[in-house]
Amino acid sequence: MARRFAHAVLAAALAVLPAGCTAYKNKFESSTYDYGSRKAGDPKMSGARMYGSTTADPRQHDNRWVEYSSLLSNEVSRVNGVAGAIVMLTDRNAYVGIMLDWTGVGTVKDGGDRRTDQNMGGSGEGVYNFDTGSPYWNGSQVATPYNSYFTVNDVGDLSEELKQTIAARIRALAPKIEEVHISANMDFVNELTEYAKEAWARKSLTPWIDAFNTLVKHQFAGGKTPPTPLAELKAARAGR
């Protein structure tokens, strides 16, 4: 009798286990720890697409002003998978530069960390630059090719679920913006940081709006004019 009861209990437990595993898997895939499953019904992708070009206006990146948003930068930095973020707001759009830290699964569409720009080999050798063996970094850029948080060259290589999650958070706090553009490109992240530094120093960004528009057009709209780094523009102006 006792043996039959034990067998019955074990059978009941085994019957419940797959359901529990399925529930856990569904919960994980619906969370902001998973950007790779891309299954129908995922709440992260519910509703209309919130990122990228959504207005079809050829002048969408002709911004009249730009400012750094500490509120939105901090909010995006709290998203799972994002190591840090810089968010710039204009009269039309939000522009987001992010670095990744792999706390979220599937932040990069295919290939994972093999698609990133960083060589992390130096961390095991006690050096910064794995190619040269140098232990030094001048600290001039937030994203670097070595022992840095991760960047991804192509905007299209980022998970749609990650971009949708970021855009939803931005639109919840800044509902009047028209478009949200997101990139983890190393050069773009570093250049946005230079604009943010100007804002942190309480300097006006108005003199640099044309340069900023060239930057975002080049990154998000196929602009043919390469952007001039803000540091070079500032140096040229100072040398007049």
Side-chain angles (χ1 to χ4, degrees):
M1 179 68 178
R3 183 176 295 180
R4 287 199 301 269
F5 178 75
H7 288 170
V9 170
L10 179 59
L14 292 175
V16 171
L17 184 59
C21 289
T22 299
Y24 175 82
K25 181 180 179 182
N26 290 340
K27 185 175 181 180
F28 176 78
E29 290 176 349
S30 298
S31 75
T32 55
Y33 288 100
D34 175 37
Y35 303 103
S37 59
R38 305 180 184 91
K39 290 189 176 180
D42 189 324
K44 295 190 294 296
M45 296 301 290
S46 62
R49 179 167 59 85
M50 297 185 181
Y51 62 88
S53 180
T54 57
T55 63
D57 184 349
R59 299 181 60 84
Q60 189 64 39
H61 299 289
D62 290 333
N63 303 290
R64 295 194 299 271
W65 53 263
V66 59
E67 65 181 18
Y68 167 75
S69 173
S70 60
L71 173 65
L72 294 178
S73 297
N74 290 333
E75 180 67 19
V76 175
S77 295
R78 286 194 287 266
V79 171
N80 291 321
V82 177
I86 296 290
V87 180
M88 307 297 292
L89 284 179
T90 73
D91 52 300
R92 293 184 164 198
N93 309 314
Y95 297 96
V96 187
I98 63 172
M99 292 184 291
L100 307 173
D101 62 9
W102 306 134
T103 55
V105 177
T107 50
V108 179
K109 279 185 178 180
D110 301 299
D113 57 2
R114 291 174 295 169
R115 298 297 295 272
T116 61
D117 303 321
Q118 280 64 39
N119 183 332
M120 308 300 282
S123 59
E125 303 292 334
V127 300
Y128 164 67
N129 188 321
F130 181 74
D131 292 331
T132 66
S134 171
Y136 301 110
W137 170 51
N138 63 16
S140 63
Q141 295 180 320
V142 65
T144 73
Y146 306 97
N147 298 309
S148 165
Y149 283 120
F150 300 98
T151 57
V152 180
N153 183 60
D154 193 332
V155 174
D157 285 338
L158 289 177
S159 163
E160 288 89 351
E161 291 188 5
L162 175 63
K163 290 186 283 190
Q164 183 81 343
T165 298
I166 291 171
R169 295 205 180 187
I170 288 176
R171 289 183 181 277
L173 295 172
K176 293 184 179 180
I177 60 172
E178 297 174 14
E179 292 185 350
V180 179
H181 295 275
I182 304 164
S183 174
N185 175 275
M186 185 190 302
D187 293 334
F188 183 73
V189 169
N190 285 328
E191 196 60 20
L192 277 200
T193 303
E194 292 302 312
Y195 284 91
K197 287 178 183 177
E198 289 292 288
W200 297 337
R202 299 185 181 279
K203 297 180 180 179
S204 173
L205 294 177
T206 299
W208 315 115
I209 187 61
D210 289 339
F212 181 83
N213 288 345
T214 298
L215 171 69
V216 295
K217 287 176 183 177
H218 187 265
Q219 182 67 200
F220 299 109
K224 302 302 182 184
T225 303
T228 302
L230 181 58
E232 291 185 17
L233 295 173
K234 290 167 58 180
R237 176 167 292 196
R240 288 178 181 175

